[in-house]
Amino acid sequence: MGVTPYLAHALLPAESELTDVMARIATQAGGVLATPGSATAAKVRFGSYPFFVALDDGSLPLTELPETRAHILETIATDAERECDYVAVLTIGGGKSDPDMDHFNDSVLLMETIEILFPGAILFDPQSGDRI
């Protein structure tokens, strides 16, 4: 079983602006939006390396938002965060292996972008179970 490089979830608070979210993330992080047009999924490229970005706001039939939100709030959230309302989960991950970690800094830029665009977001590493 392979591990998705740079995988992270971000639980987004209720006041998050989700309009043009994929383009805003790519622009803020300094990447290139490689698959424009979707409000819920895109690829952001740094050079030739693709990251996928997916938004789950609970509106699609196969949503995992309730389970993901509950898990993050139960395992890593503070008491104050548990009192807040979270309306979406943003997932980012590397689109292919990166054994030399050439794109580690790009993944950090994406996570910092999420913190800038969505103040109060909770970032979570689903592979380790730790808060980012």
Side-chain angles (χ1 to χ4, degrees), residues 21-56:
V21 66
M22 301 303 171
R24 290 176 32 234
I25 289 169
T27 299
Q28 178 75 32
V32 174
L33 186 61
T35 53
S38 173
T40 59
K43 285 187 181 173
V44 175
R45 291 191 177 277
F46 292 88
S48 64
Y49 189 85
F51 285 86
F52 66 85
V53 182
L55 178 70
D56 182 352

